[in-house]
Amino acid sequence: MHAFSYGSSSTVLAVPPALSLPVIESEFPRQLHPYWPKLQENTRTWLLEKRLMPAGKVEEYADGLCYTDLMAGYYIGAPDEVLQAIADYSAWFFVWDDRHDRDVVHGRANAWRKLRLRLHAALDAPRDHLHHQDPLVAGFADSMVRLYSFLGDNWNERFALHFHAVIDAYDREFRNRTSGTVPTVAEYLELRRLTFAHRIWTDLLEPSAGQELPAEVRLHPAFQRAALLSQEFAAWYNDLCSLPKEIAGDELHNLGISLIHHQGLTLEEAVTELRRRVEDCVRQFLVAEKDVSRLAGSLADGTVRGKETSVAVMACLGNMRNWFSSVYWFHHESGRYMVDSWDDRSTPPYVNNEAAGGK
């Protein structure tokens, strides 16, 4: 399903000049999975059923946050049930991110520690946590049971290993924020690859393509390079767009903030540097994309397995490309970044500011 290049709404979006990337708008046409309308409806229902957002917040904000749009623009070609599981998990991830932020803001160190340990446990044994009293733990367990059902034990173990690292990285952020520590640029770049969950979104390309890729393909320098560039673009473009939101909320984890704090850049200079890095990701991806295409061609060796692997690699590559346009338009459609419209620039209106876990 080809979407308008300016987004899925009927109104043409005016992208602010500082955030505009003409190369994305011209060279990365946006698509949406045809299941998207049903996806949006089902994820909204799932958020309610799992009590991850209050009913009033779901009604008022869920669709406008565009979480399902983001996934429906990324995992093109995924079976409907795979995309639904990914979209629900993605929505959970945003809610978890908001809980983490509120735990920092309200000084709920004990609540965060308990949640962190419970998520580690649920990741390893999700069926044991499906009815946990904390909706965030139960919702996570439900997501994991579904995601673990698509491929095999090897993929499941790899995904779990990668997400354990994400949970630990969120804990590092918690400690940084409560101690007022702004990471250096090098520290931040390392941490960001974990908190943005680079490996997780790349792992999920495989069930979307219907096949676990052989290690020699996943670990091939060309494949890894293209995957990393798609994720770095997303993380740094997110930093560019969320800089006002995160400055307003006294956040310390943003590439722009690290550049300002540790390298003495002005806000204007930091924005310029962020743009440079984002645009460089796009340029480098266009080169890496050709390398992965050649890799896929070399895999088609005349055998059935070779052909299937080649097709799966091209599906993954196509969705790495889709990540650029999906992330780009998400940041201009989602209410998550419309700080200027909030009553309190430090408190997102879609969060439960006194979320569970603080009592």
Side-chain angles (χ1 to χ4, degrees):
M1 181 181 187
H2 191 79
F4 293 112
S5 63
Y6 46 75
S8 60
S9 68
S10 59
T11 303
V12 176
L13 294 173
V15 179
L19 305 177
S20 176
L21 296 174
V23 65
I24 298 297
E25 298 181 29
S26 63
E27 301 299 325
F28 291 78
R30 186 183 187 186
Q31 301 181 76
L32 284 175
H33 196 291
Y35 183 65
W36 171 72
K38 191 68 175 175
L39 185 73
Q40 185 183 54
E41 177 185 337
N42 286 346
T43 295
R44 190 190 316 121
T45 299
W46 186 78
L47 286 168
L48 283 170
E49 288 178 348
K50 299 301 176 184
R51 297 179 294 119
L52 289 167
M53 291 175 68
K57 301 283 187 184
V58 172
E59 178 66 27
E60 187 170 359
Y61 296 109
D63 289 354
L65 290 169
C66 301
Y67 296 158
T68 55
D69 303 49
L70 179 63
M71 295 298 110
Y74 186 15
Y75 296 102
I76 304 297
D80 292 353
E81 66 272 17
V82 172
L83 183 61
Q84 187 67 65
I86 292 173
D88 291 349
Y89 165 72
S90 171
W92 172 88
F93 201 118
F94 281 112
V95 174
W96 175 51
D97 185 75
D98 293 333
R99 170 82 74 84
H100 175 266
D101 177 68
R102 293 298 95 186
D103 281 350
V104 171
V105 168
H106 294 294
R108 300 191 294 233
N110 190 50
W112 166 250
R113 182 186 62 82
K114 288 180 180 178
L115 176 60
R116 172 173 57 85
L117 294 176
R118 289 165 178 167
L119 292 179
H120 277 304
L123 185 56
D124 289 332
R127 292 188 182 277
D128 294 344
H129 295 78
L130 288 171
H131 305 291
H132 196 279
Q133 62 182 0
D134 186 339
L136 204 64
V137 177
F140 177 63
D142 179 79
S143 290
M144 290 305 99
V145 168
R146 292 156 67 195
L147 291 175
Y148 286 164
S149 71
F150 298 124
L151 296 178
D153 289 342
N154 288 338
W155 185 92
N156 295 350
E157 289 170 7
R158 173 162 39 101
F159 185 95
L161 180 68
H162 291 163
F163 202 73
H164 278 304
V166 172
I167 296 169
D168 288 339
Y170 263 72
D171 188 49
R172 284 166 61 192
E173 274 208 0
F174 188 94
R175 287 182 278 117
N176 282 347
R177 289 183 67 185
T178 53
S179 66
T181 303
V182 178
T184 66
V185 171
E187 290 169 341
Y188 175 75
L189 294 177
E190 177 189 357
L191 185 61
R192 184 59 162 153
R193 289 175 179 173
L194 292 168
T195 57
F196 195 82
H198 283 24
R199 289 179 172 177
I200 295 301
W201 306 119
T202 300
D203 287 339
L204 289 168
L205 292 169
E206 293 170 83
S208 298
Q211 179 181 330
E212 181 179 359
L213 297 177
E216 59 269 23
V217 174
R218 286 189 292 102
L219 300 178
H220 191 283
F223 188 89
Q224 290 213 315
R225 178 78 174 148
L228 178 62
L229 286 166
S230 76
Q231 293 298 315
E232 299 279 58
F233 167 83
W236 296 343
Y237 192 68
N238 174 267
D239 280 3
L240 181 63
C241 294
S242 63
L243 189 54
K245 168 180 179 273
E246 294 183 339
I247 289 175
D250 294 324
E251 173 59 90
L252 306 177
H253 295 87
N254 184 294
L255 181 53
I257 292 172
S258 288
L259 288 166
I260 291 167
H261 188 84
H262 289 288
Q263 297 190 3
L265 272 61
T266 65
L267 176 58
E268 200 171 69
E269 290 169 339
V271 168
T272 298
E273 174 60 13
L274 273 169
R275 276 193 65 98
R276 185 194 67 77
R277 289 176 182 250
V278 164
E279 290 168 346
D280 195 45
C281 278
V282 179
R283 284 191 293 271
Q284 291 187 51
F285 177 81
L286 292 172
V287 175
E289 184 178 38
K290 295 175 182 177
D291 294 336
V292 178
S293 293
R294 283 191 287 270
L295 170 64
S298 72
L299 295 169
D301 56 5
T303 65
V304 172
R305 178 173 173 78
K307 177 64 174 177
E308 289 176 346
T309 303
S310 176
V311 169
V313 169
M314 288 304 295
C316 291
L317 177 61
N319 283 335
M320 291 177 199
R321 164 175 270 273
N322 287 331
W323 195 225
F324 287 83
S325 58
S326 191
V327 162
Y328 181 76
W329 291 112
F330 169 69
H331 282 86
H332 303 300
E333 294 175 349
S334 175
R336 193 172 179 86
Y337 305 100
M338 297 179 182
V339 180
D340 291 339
S341 68
W342 301 354
D343 292 336
D344 177 354
R345 289 171 61 89
S346 67
T347 305
Y350 48 83
V351 302
N352 179 4
N353 195 41
E354 298 299 332
K359 304 301 181 187

